[in-house]
């Protein structure tokens, strides 16, 4: 996969705190949108993230890239969702660990809806409709929040769980494995 590696802005940059604008109708099917989508996926992959929203590269537009690593059944290939609408299915919340390329080096426990329904557009303008659960749903909710100027720290209800990655791996992951 080729593309241009974009600069990911970090917490404190005002781009992360703005409500992004919908991608205009006339952009669908254009090279401009296709290039931005390609570069988001390329940058996400290079930075070893599972999601990257346009505001994280200081583009105030409502689109993001994500993928879900896993085995054949659970893996979701790199996907672009444009002007997404995310609706919770049920009321069940689940705690899970998150990190963010704009908040490097940290992990925290975040409650998210266990299942969401999503409608969005693809780069060519075609409609996308999907239901996601568990980690897939978590990634979508995290990225969708970026479009509204929200980061995962804002969603944390137990700030005590916040940890640096090496300590998280050493003390949390290893404890979970026991
Ligand atoms: Ni993030």
């Amino acid at each position: 996969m080729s593309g241009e590696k974009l600069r990911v802005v970090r917490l404190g940059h005002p781009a992360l705190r703005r409500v992004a604008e919908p991608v205009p109708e006339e952009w669908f099917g254009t090279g401009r949108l296709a290039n931005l989508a390609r570069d988001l996926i390329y940058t996400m992959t290079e930075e070893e993230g599972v999601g990257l929203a346009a505001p994280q590269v200081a583009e105030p537009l409502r689109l993001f890239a994500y993928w879900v690593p896993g085995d054949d059944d659970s893996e979701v290939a790199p996907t672009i969702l444009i002007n997404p609408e995310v609706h919770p299915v049920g009321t069940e919340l689940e705690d899970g660990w998150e990190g963010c390329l704009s908040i490097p080096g940290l992990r925290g426990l975040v409650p998210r809806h266990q299942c969401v329904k999503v409608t969005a557009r693809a780069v060519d303008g075609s409609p996308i409709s999907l239901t996601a659960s568990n980690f897939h749903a978590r990634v979508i909710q995290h990225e969708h929040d970026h479009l509204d100027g929200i980061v995962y720290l804002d969603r944390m209800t137990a700030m005590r769980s916040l940890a640096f990655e090496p300590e998280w791996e050493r003390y949390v992951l290893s404890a979970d494995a026991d």
Side-chain angles (χ1 to χ4, degrees):
M1 169 97 50
S2 63
E4 185 192 343
K5 190 170 170 186
L6 306 170
R7 190 172 72 91
V8 178
V9 300
R10 305 201 303 179
L11 196 63
H13 193 295
L16 291 173
R17 291 309 196 174
R18 290 188 192 116
V19 176
E21 294 289 328
V23 170
E25 195 56 42
E26 58 270 24
W27 280 37
F28 289 97
T30 64
R32 181 183 191 179
L33 184 57
N35 286 344
L36 175 57
R38 180 200 63 194
D39 293 343
L40 279 175
I41 290 175
Y42 181 75
T43 306
M44 171 181 76
T45 308
E46 288 285 298
E47 299 283 356
E48 299 184 342
V50 293
L52 185 63
Q56 293 182 271
V57 296
E59 288 281 358
L61 291 165
R62 301 187 75 81
L63 76 153
F64 59 78
Y66 76 95
W67 74 292
V68 178
D71 55 28
D72 287 350
D73 287 340
S74 58
E75 180 168 333
V76 179
T79 301
I80 294 283
L81 296 180
I82 303 171
N83 298 344
E85 294 198 27
V86 177
H87 302 285
V89 177
T91 53
E92 204 177 331
L93 294 176
E94 208 169 59
D95 279 332
W97 292 97
E98 296 187 19
C100 182
L101 292 176
S102 295
I103 310 168
L106 290 171
R107 295 290 166 124
L109 212 45
V110 186
R112 297 283 187 188
H113 292 284
Q114 195 263 327
C115 184
V116 292
K117 273 198 157 133
V118 183
T119 57
R121 308 278 296 280
V123 172
D124 65 2
S126 58
I128 294 174
S129 174
L130 62 92
T131 302
S133 54
N134 303 317
F135 189 67
H136 187 188
R138 175 171 300 279
V139 173
I140 286 174
Q141 289 169 87
H142 176 121
E143 298 311 322
H144 184 249
D145 269 353
H146 277 303
L147 309 184
D148 291 323
I150 295 166
V151 300
Y152 80 84
L153 301 176
D154 307 331
R155 298 286 191 194
M156 288 179 64
T157 50
M159 290 306 289
R160 285 173 66 95
S161 68
L162 200 63
F164 287 105
E165 270 166 7
E167 283 75 8
W168 176 76
E169 280 174 18
R170 169 72 181 81
Y171 296 106
V172 180
L173 267 195
S174 63
D176 283 355
D178 287 345

